[in-house]
Amino acid sequence: MKYGKFFLCILVFFSIHWSATQGKEANSVQGVVTLYDGFKYIEDGYIKAKLKFKQKNGKKKEWDVQIFKSEGEALYVFEEHKHSPVLKILYKNKNRDIYYQNTKNFRVYQMLGDEKYENVLHTSFTYKDLSFYLFEVNYVSLILTKESYKGQNMVRLPFKPLDPNGYKKLVLYLNAKNFEPERLDFYGVKMEFLKSLKYKFATIKKIENKQASTTRFPAIMETVDAKTYNVSTFQILELNKDIIPNKAFFSLQNLK
């Protein structure tokens, strides 16, 4: 299995509105999982994003990312230069099926088993990480505890993945005051520490009903690889809800 340099989830993140009852909900394991899935939920539409990769020696690379999302399916197009795709990823069947196109020979491949955990463009994000999967249906949550980390009160919740090909364990840390996620730690099949994902808020542009506005969201995912210390960042820049592709757009033919 190739984990490479460091994660996702995925993805791409948007917050829902946190209700006044969130503290009460987060007293239970199920409540925390529900809040977390809502925190990282992203609405259907056309999404502009940026993927950045910085090595410890200072070398950098970045890609523009276009995402088309609708009803559990998503198409990602990575461009190194404008209108020059270097990779396309198609997620189908509620993200359980993952396909990609090799832009050198234009062949389409389906990723199976541990191939889903290979790294996208040599960054720390895997193909599985960037899918819009829900923790509620992909992971078994364990024991909810409270602890202090660097002087800050945190809520700690470990997860056991249902997929035997993937990570052995994930550990989610949330701010004990507002229950916003702080970071997500990833462990490999031998329980070795792989990477840690941190969440950051940013202002994004949102278009809906032909009206543009700005919204503050947890739009940035930043990871640091445990071995190389290379940094990978995935940032959402804009969401256009007025552009929602039809089902035909997500056919395998669109990758050819």
Side-chain angles (χ1 to χ4, degrees):
M1 185 187 331
K2 300 178 182 178
Y3 287 101
K5 300 182 174 67
F6 200 113
F7 170 113
L8 196 144
C9 120
I10 226 190
L11 351 192
V12 183
F13 280 20
F14 280 115
S15 171
I16 60 170
H17 296 289
W18 296 90
S19 70
T21 60
Q22 80 182 88
K24 181 179 179 181
E25 292 173 350
N27 285 331
S28 69
V29 169
Q30 184 59 47
V32 170
V33 176
T34 300
L35 286 170
Y36 179 61
D37 277 342
F39 180 89
K40 65 189 188 67
Y41 174 74
I42 186 169
E43 298 173 275
D44 289 352
Y46 169 64
I47 300 136
K48 291 183 181 180
K50 183 84 71 175
L51 175 63
K52 299 179 181 180
F53 178 60
K54 181 180 179 180
Q55 294 179 287
K56 188 179 178 180
N57 60 14
K59 291 184 178 180
K60 302 178 182 179
K61 290 198 71 172
E62 66 177 56
W63 299 266
D64 293 320
V65 188
Q66 299 181 74
I67 307 171
F68 302 86
K69 181 178 180 292
S70 178
E71 298 181 359
E73 297 183 313
L75 175 66
Y76 287 62
V77 181
F78 296 81
E79 298 177 340
E80 202 162 23
H81 306 287
K82 194 171 184 179
H83 305 307
S84 300
V86 295
L87 176 66
K88 293 181 180 179
I89 308 174
L90 178 63
Y91 296 94
K92 295 181 68 67
N93 189 21
K94 295 184 178 179
N95 311 310
R96 287 189 287 268
D97 297 329
I98 304 176
Y99 303 86
Y100 80 96
Q101 182 201 60
N102 185 322
T103 55
K104 293 182 179 179
N105 58 21
F106 297 102
R107 293 185 61 182
V108 177
Y109 302 87
Q110 181 175 8
M111 312 206 76
L112 302 172
D114 60 3
E115 293 175 339
K116 296 178 182 180
Y117 296 88
E118 294 181 2
N119 297 300
V120 175
L121 297 171
H122 305 290
T123 68
S124 301
F125 296 96
T126 70
Y127 287 83
K128 180 67 175 180
D129 292 337
L130 291 179
S131 69
F132 296 100
Y133 65 84
L134 295 176
F135 266 61
E136 190 169 13
V137 295
N138 286 274
Y139 293 85
V140 176
S141 48
L142 303 176
I143 301 173
L144 184 67
T145 59
K146 293 184 179 181
E147 61 180 58
S148 178
Y149 177 74
K150 294 184 177 180
Q152 183 177 0
N153 292 327
M154 307 284 284
V155 173
R156 180 182 185 273
L157 181 59
F159 292 92
K160 179 181 179 182
L162 296 176
D163 185 354
N165 298 295
Y167 307 108
K168 184 69 174 179
K169 184 177 74 171
L170 283 76
V171 182
L172 175 65
Y173 293 88
L174 304 98
N175 187 302
K177 184 177 180 180
N178 56 25
F179 289 94
E180 292 180 353
E182 295 282 345
R183 76 175 198 270
L184 185 65
D185 292 344
F186 296 78
Y187 294 84
V189 292
K190 297 181 180 179
M191 289 302 295
E192 73 278 19
F193 176 61
L194 298 174
K195 58 193 179 184
S196 184
L197 167 70
K198 293 184 178 180
Y199 301 94
K200 297 182 179 180
F201 280 79
T203 299
I204 69 163
K205 181 179 179 181
K206 184 176 181 178
I207 301 172
E208 185 174 10
N209 298 323
K210 298 182 180 180
Q211 298 293 320
S213 61
T214 57
T215 311
R216 186 173 178 268
F217 278 117
I220 302 174
M221 298 185 294
E222 182 180 277
T223 62
V224 181
D225 184 86
K227 291 184 178 179
T228 64
Y229 297 101
N230 293 335
V231 179
S232 299
T233 306
F234 194 92
Q235 180 173 358
I236 300 295
L237 303 172
E238 179 180 316
L239 168 65
N240 190 331
K241 292 189 65 178
D242 291 343
I243 302 176
I244 299 181
N246 58 38
K247 282 288 184 180
F249 189 84
F250 299 104
S251 69
L252 291 177
Q253 295 300 318
N254 273 307
L255 290 185
K256 299 179 181 179

